[in-house]
Amino acid sequence: MAEPQTRLILLTAPGVGPDLGARLARAVAAGDVAAVILHLPHGDERALVNAVKAVAPAVQEAGAALVLAGGGGIDLATVAARSGADGVHVQADEAEADPVEAASDEDGEEDDEGQGPSRKGPLHALRERLRDGRILGVGGIRSKHAAMQAGEAGADYLLFGDDPRIALDDLVARLSWWVEIFETPCIALARDLTDVPDLVATGAEFIGLDPALWAGEGGEAAVAAAQAAIRNRAAAGEG
């Protein structure tokens, strides 16, 4: 049986310009794009909901998911629900914040080892809020421990490589470790099209394209080139 085909994820830069919908429509049509991670600018909730609604059809009508990130501390889960977006993308350092109680003292819920009330972090709480089927994605993975925390919190995918300081060899090693051990899908972020074959070889389910690669004029050509690189690497692996 053939291995599942690696798919593309497009990441946008912060901001929602007037031509973003048109650029997204062209880009998602140029390859097998599973989702767009839309990085929202700072703004009030109503303005962001309206901005998302304006670009959502370009993504969703092409069969891709629209996942919201950024927003300057806005409640992304609420914006996603009000705008019809398919999920939210947050940073792993939220999992390292001080934990909050998952249950009040009144209900007395104990943890798995019977040591008193269970305590869960913000990612667990967000996962609970997204029970309507919306996606929870996590980026900003700086350590194996952070990756495992995000996976345990119920993330639907992890994004590796969004730290601009990480070298390709180190990214490949981190991806290979994750794919070999864990079942939660991962996105390997490509900052250069020449990196795509090496990232595909790790077994990552998705290749993310940095906005610098595709978000400019004619960016759909970069999406098509990334798709060709995935196809060629898959064909080489079968040979």
Side-chain angles (χ1 to χ4, degrees), residues 100-166:
V100 297
E101 290 192 352
S104 67
D105 291 338
E106 286 78 15
D107 61 33
E109 181 182 348
E110 293 191 344
D111 64 19
D112 291 340
E113 302 191 2
Q115 299 298 317
S118 61
R119 298 176 69 85
K120 298 181 180 180
L123 282 181
H124 287 90
L126 184 55
R127 175 75 280 172
E128 290 293 309
R129 293 182 62 199
L130 297 172
R131 281 184 170 179
D132 55 3
R134 286 188 167 83
I135 297 164
L136 172 59
V138 180
I141 306 295
R142 300 294 184 262
S143 67
K144 291 182 177 180
H145 177 67
M148 290 187 287
Q149 279 191 316
E152 290 168 359
D156 293 299
Y157 70 79
L158 270 60
L159 171 65
F160 292 96
D162 51 348
D163 180 352
R165 299 167 298 179
I166 191 169

